[in-house]
Amino acid sequence: MSKFDCDLFVIGAGSGGVRAARIAAGFGARAMIAENYRVGGTCVIRGCVPKKLLAYAAHYAEDFQDARGYGWSHANPAFSWPELIRNKDREIGRLSSIYSGLLARSGIAILEGTARLIDPHTIEVGERRVSARYVLVATGAHPFRPPLPGIEHAITSNEAFELRQLPGRILIVGGGYVAVEFAGIFAGLGAMVTLSYRGEQILRGFDDDVRSHLHEEMGRKGVRILLRSGVSRIDRRADGVLEVALAGSPEGNLACDAVMVATGRIPNTAGIGLSEIGVELDGEGGVVVDRYCRSSVVSVYAVGDVTNRIALTPVAIREGAAVATTLFGGTSVPVDHADVPSAVFSQPPVGTVGLTQSEALEAFGELEVYRTTFRPLRHTLSGREEYTMMKLIVDAASQRVVGAHMVGSDAPEIIQGVAIAVKAGLTKAQFDSTVGIHPTAAEEFVTLRDKELVHRTETV
Ligand code: NDP
C-alpha cells in the first residue's frame, strides 16, 4: 500500500492537466485533479474554442455580401450579439461537462478550489489535505494588464467573451495573437476597431511577409492599425464613453466604448506555494522545467502555459501525455517542441510552420524563397478585394523546406497538412512531385516555381 493518498495530483483541469490525469489513470495510477474555475481550462472556457466560434460569427458578415456575386439576393441580415453569446455559452457548458464526465469515468476525483503546495508531496485544497507521490502544475496563465492610469476601465479577452452588448467603437491594445484575432471578430461583427501596437509591425516573431500581408488585409476589412503607438491613460467620461490618450501617435485622444488590452499573459504561479517549496520560477513567473517537464523539485512537474514555453493547447496536451507516460508508463518521453505549427484566427487567418525567413537565414545562411500572392478564385465573382499570400522557405544546401507560411482563407487547415511534410524534413523536389488538387489554394504549395535567392550578409 502506497504511503500517499494518490499517485498524481494535478493542479488545473485545463487541456494539459486533464490529459495527464487521464493518461496516468489509464496506466493504473490513482490521479486527482483540482480546479478553481471551470473544468476545461482557458482553451475550452475562454480561449481557443469560444474565440473560434466568435470568429465564425464574424465571417458571416462578408459571406452575406459575397453571396450577391453568386446570384443570391436577400434582405439585410440582422445580427444579435446576446444570442451569439448565449449559444456560445451553451456550447462551452456542454464541452465542460464532457471534460468532467471523462474525468469521472476514468475514476479521477475533481476537487473544487484553489490548490496550494504545503511541501513537495502535500497539497491543500480548502480544508482538505492530500498527499501525492507526484504533483503536476497545469494552472495556465491569465491576461496581463499593463499598469497605466485608468486600466480598471479596460477589459481583457476574459471579459470580451462575456460582454452584454457589442461595443460600437473599440480600441484593442497589443499586436499579438489575441489582439489581431479580436480585432477581426469585432470588426466583422460591425464594430469600429482601432488596434494600437507599440512596435513596428503586428505579430512580432512571425515571418515579415505574413506580418505585412495581414496588416494590409486587416486594413482592407476596416481595422485601423496604429503602429508605434501606446496608451498613456484611460478616462471614463460622465456619459460613459472612454477617452483614451494615445502616446507616440498622431491620433491624440480617442473616444470609444470599450478598450481591450491584449498585452500578453502571465503564468498562474502566484499564491500556490511553489517558490515556498523551492520550485524555481523564471523572470515572468513561469515554472522552469527540463525536457521531461520536471521542475527543480523532483516530485513536481509542470505543463502548458504555466511553463512559459509554447502557449498552445496541443502542445500542453502533448506535454501532459508525456509526463504521465514518463511517470507511470515505463518510458521516459521528452517533449519535442520543434516545428510546432500554429494559426492565428485573424480575418483572414494565418497558418505557419517551421522557421521564418530571418530565422532560416540565421540558421542556414543561404535560402531559396518561394512566394506567391493571388486573389482566390472565390473572389472573382464575389468581387472582394482580398489576397492570399503563401510562402515556402528552402535551405539552399539541403533543399529541405524549413518554413511554410500562409495568410488567407483556410490557412490553418492547409498548413496543418503541410506541417507533416515540414516536420518530416521533406525537400522542395518532394513537394513538387506531389500532384496538386485543382482548383484549390493549397495546390500552390506544390506548384511554386519562382524563387528568390537570399544570402546572409555577414557582419564583421
Ligand atoms: P502575445 O505575446 O502574442 O502578444 C502580446 C502583445 O502585447 C504583443 O504585441 C506585445 O508587444 C504587446 N505588449 C506586451 N506588453 C505590453 C505593454 N506593457 N504595453 C503595450 N503592449 C504590450 O500575447 P497574447 O495575449 O496575444 O497571446 C498569448 C499567447 O497565447 C500567445 O503567445 C499564443 O501562444 C497563445 N494564443 C494562441 C492562439 C492561437 O493559437 N490561435 C490564440 C490566442 C493566444 P511586443 O510584440 O512588442 O512584445
Side-chain angles (χ1 to χ4, degrees), residues 111-349:
L111 273 57
E112 285 176 22
T114 299
R116 199 165 58 88
L117 280 149
I118 304 297
D119 65 47
H121 294 283
T122 311
I123 309 98
E124 193 175 72
V125 185
E127 304 281 282
R128 187 159 171 194
R129 275 197 179 195
V130 179
S131 64
R133 195 164 143 215
Y134 298 110
V135 177
L136 177 65
V137 182
T139 46
H142 64 276
F144 162 68
R145 289 168 169 269
L148 53 95
I151 189 67
E152 67 278 9
H153 301 306
I155 60 167
T156 68
S157 56
N158 283 353
E159 294 76 39
F161 286 118
E162 314 281 327
L163 287 175
R164 297 167 87 107
Q165 59 185 40
L166 181 69
R169 297 160 298 176
I170 184 165
L171 172 73
I172 298 180
V173 184
Y177 281 81
V178 174
V180 300
E181 288 182 345
F182 272 91
I185 288 168
F186 284 123
L189 295 176
M192 279 175 59
V193 180
T194 303
L195 185 149
S196 159
Y197 174 52
R198 64 184 179 182
E200 297 294 317
Q201 184 55 284
I202 54 169
L203 287 186
R204 184 168 62 82
F206 282 72
D207 186 88
D208 284 343
D209 285 320
V210 166
R211 301 168 75 190
S212 54
H213 190 86
L214 181 66
H215 182 149
E216 206 168 307
E217 293 298 322
M218 285 174 70
R220 258 196 267 275
K221 291 180 192 300
V223 176
R224 204 161 56 114
I225 299 178
L226 308 175
L227 298 176
R228 296 174 288 278
S229 154
V231 170
S232 53
R233 64 177 298 122
I234 307 168
D235 291 294
R236 188 181 288 284
R237 295 192 327 216
D239 61 0
V241 170
L242 297 176
E243 192 86 31
V244 184
L246 288 168
S249 156
E251 287 294 306
N253 278 15
L254 184 85
C256 56
D257 306 297
V259 175
M260 174 175 162
V261 286
T263 43
R265 298 175 66 84
I266 299 183
N268 291 328
T269 46
I272 55 172
L274 290 168
S275 338
E276 290 85 339
I277 65 156
V279 172
E280 188 191 343
L281 303 180
D282 67 21
E284 287 160 18
V287 179
V288 176
V289 289
D290 65 12
R291 53 203 286 265
Y292 297 97
C293 302
R294 184 152 80 170
S295 78
S296 55
V297 171
V298 290
S299 59
V300 179
Y301 286 69
V303 296
D305 296 3
V306 76
T307 64
N308 216 4
R309 293 178 290 179
I310 302 180
L312 297 174
T313 297
V315 174
I317 290 174
R318 287 289 169 111
E319 292 169 354
V323 167
T325 309
T326 300
L327 296 179
F328 307 108
T331 333
S332 290
V333 184
V335 181
D336 178 4
H337 287 114
D339 291 329
V340 170
S342 83
V344 184
F345 293 95
S346 42
Q347 315 265 351

Side-chain angles (χ1 to χ4, degrees), residues 350-372:
V350 173
T352 176
V353 61
L355 304 179
T356 64
Q357 182 168 327
S358 44
E359 288 166 345
L361 208 52
E362 191 59 38
F364 301 108
E366 197 173 328
L367 307 176
E368 291 173 5
V369 175
Y370 296 81
R371 189 179 9 224
T372 180

